Amino acid sequence: MQKLIHAIFLVTGTSIGAGLIALPMTVVNLGMVSFGIMIAIMVWLAYQSSCMTTQLNIAHKTPASIVELSRQYGGKMLFAVTLSSFYLLFFGLLTVYFSCMADTMTTCSRLGKTPSIILCGCGLFLFLNLKTRLFSDLNSVFVVILLAVIAVAVVSIRHMPETVAEDVPFRTDEWLKAVPILFTSFGIQGSCAYFCFYLRNDLKRLKLSFCIGLLIPAVIYLLWTLCCLKTAAACDGAFYQRLQAHKVPVGELIRFLCESSSLPTMGVFLKLLTLFAVLTSTIGVAAGLLQPLQAFLPKTVAQCVLCFVPVLINLTVAEAFLKVLSFGGMMLAILAILVPYKLLKPMGVQKTLPHRLCFVGGLVVVICELWSVLC
């Protein structure tokens, strides 16, 4: 039971991350009913795609990343697409998380951004060298802290009028932008190999951990987004219009929420919210990325690469994370849905209706991202 609880917390912590910060700015023009429907669809898609990757791991007998499975059972072209997409996506995510944590740390302390980024790399390296039991315990503690901070934030932001952007006209471009970001907000599939290793390929417990672990962030995303939009709409009409025009950066939104809060200590809670949301996602992504790196690198070397490549990118390339995040949803759809679907038959896993519907959902995410970028 304890392992199942830790697995649920790891799923929840991995899922809650950049989406908590990005969604209020992304779905502001959709209306909460439409947003709720999209959240339900994305939870289903994330659950089914996670189960599909898990079934491949169980058929393989031993936990393996989608990269390793593609190398063994897919053709050269499929392996090349999988390998490039996998490392570009997950090293990009770690780069984003390091940058966000460093920005939060510089806000809360006198550290500069460069020392903060280096500290992130060193901290992750030490964390990955913990024993599995201590690693799981600490991650669960971080997720509990995150959930507590979110609860305080939601309760303390003042109550606003009930309706927020419900009567908005249908805009294709807004939906196209929202779909990949929403899908990325539930991105746990890269860590499926670690979940299989941790729960010893127990499909029943794996499915339960995915189900509960994804429902928690779904509820949190709904409550948090509604809370943020209600506050913005009621407190400052001009600010809300800028939010609808997607001209409000993350830092300005957080500052606005701090000033609109009924609690003077809300600024501290929001900084903790940002820090722990990103920290728990970093742990989940790192756990999922370490396994494939260890397939061809010694463990210590793999840990060094994992922890310090994002540091190097942050220190040498300005704003690199923006270029990666714009394609994040599409790359995740390729890795989490399209590639696993292609591997089902070669690995002897029978295709079912949920598999086929999941494949269609993955194609929709890819098409939305391509359409949004090209048009």
Side-chain angles (χ1 to χ4, degrees):
M1 176 59 76
Q2 190 176 29
K3 275 199 165 188
L4 178 62
I5 293 173
H6 286 322
I8 290 171
F9 280 145
L10 186 58
V11 172
T12 298
T14 304
S15 179
I16 299 176
L20 196 65
I21 301 169
L23 287 182
M25 295 182 290
T26 304
V27 304
V28 60
N29 295 319
L30 298 185
M32 293 310 298
V33 173
S34 299
F35 177 46
I37 293 172
M38 289 187 69
I39 282 283
I41 293 172
M42 291 305 164
V43 168
W44 182 88
L45 198 59
Y47 172 79
Q48 292 295 341
S49 58
S50 299
C51 290
M52 184 161 57
T53 303
T54 299
Q55 287 176 301
L56 295 178
N57 271 269
I58 293 175
H60 186 62
K61 305 297 183 186
T62 55
S65 71
I66 193 64
V67 175
E68 180 62 20
L69 295 176
S70 177
R71 184 185 70 81
Q72 292 190 33
Y73 300 98
K76 292 182 179 179
M77 180 62 70
L78 185 64
F79 174 64
V81 171
T82 306
L83 185 66
S84 58
S85 299
F86 184 89
Y87 288 113
L88 181 60
L89 173 62
F90 287 103
F91 274 114
L93 287 177
L94 286 176
T95 301
V96 171
Y97 296 153
F98 276 30
S99 178
C100 289
M101 283 193 290
D103 285 337
T104 306
M105 291 166 64
T106 55
T107 303
C108 300
S109 66
R110 296 182 179 179
L111 281 176
K113 186 164 184 179
T114 297
S116 297
I117 291 173
I118 295 173
L119 187 60
C120 290
C122 295
L124 182 59
F125 182 81
L126 294 174
F127 200 89
L128 290 175
N129 277 283
L130 297 175
K131 293 182 179 180
T132 303
R133 174 68 181 276
L134 184 56
F135 176 93
S136 301
D137 288 342
L138 281 177
N139 178 73
S140 297
V141 170
F142 291 153
V143 174
V144 169
I145 293 174
L146 171 62
L147 297 178
V149 171
I150 291 173
V152 171
V154 170
V155 170
S156 61
I157 292 179
R158 70 179 63 160
H159 295 290
M160 299 300 170
E162 291 298 323
T163 304
V164 178
E166 289 293 348
D167 300 323
V168 292
F170 178 83
R171 292 176 56 183
T172 304
D173 58 330
E174 294 290 340
W175 282 79
L176 293 175
K177 291 176 183 177
V179 167
I181 294 174
L182 273 164
F183 182 64
T184 309
S185 299
F186 292 96
I188 62 167
Q189 298 87 342
S191 302
C192 283
Y194 181 80
F195 297 140
C196 290
F197 163 76
Y198 188 68
L199 294 178
R200 303 292 187 235
N201 280 345
D202 187 331
L203 184 58
K204 184 178 179 180
R205 289 201 296 171
L206 283 163
K207 286 185 174 182
L208 187 59
S209 64
F210 292 146
C211 182
I212 299 175
L214 287 168
L215 286 175
I216 293 172
V219 173
I220 288 171
Y221 283 149
L222 283 168
L223 291 176
W224 175 250
T225 302
L226 177 61
C227 192
C228 291
L229 296 184
K230 286 173 70 176
T231 301
C235 288
D236 191 334
F239 178 85
Y240 187 69
Q241 289 178 354
R242 289 180 57 226
L243 197 62
Q244 289 181 305
H246 305 296
K247 294 182 179 179
V248 176
V250 172
E252 186 177 350
L253 176 61
I254 292 178
R255 284 196 298 272
F256 177 83
L257 293 173
C258 291
E259 295 169 358
S260 303
S261 171
S262 57
L263 286 180
T265 56
M266 192 59 203
V268 177
F269 282 111
L270 286 171
K271 290 172 185 176
L272 289 174
L273 173 63
T274 304
L275 179 62
F276 279 96
V278 175
L279 179 60
T280 53
S281 287
T282 302
I283 293 169
V285 169
L289 190 54
L290 183 60
Q291 191 126 5
L293 285 176
Q294 288 182 211
F296 58 90
L297 291 175
K299 183 177 180 180
T300 303
V301 176
Q303 290 172 337
C304 289
V305 170
L306 176 63
C307 297
F308 296 109
V309 165
V311 172
L312 183 63
I313 296 174
N314 268 302
L315 294 179
T316 57
V317 183
E319 304 296 334
F321 64 93
L322 293 177
K323 302 170 186 177
V324 177
L325 281 182
S326 63
F327 293 97
M330 181 174 66
M331 289 186 290
L332 184 60
I334 293 171
L335 289 169
I337 299 178
L338 304 189
V339 172
Y341 184 82
K342 291 295 183 182
L343 292 175
L344 290 175
K345 187 175 180 180
M347 295 186 65
V349 180
Q350 185 178 3
K351 293 180 180 178
T352 63
L353 180 59
H355 291 150
R356 294 184 175 89
L357 292 175
C358 189
F359 179 74
V360 173
L363 287 178
V364 170
V365 174
V366 172
I367 291 170
C368 285
E369 179 63 22
L370 289 175
W371 188 286
S372 180
V373 171
L374 298 177
C375 298

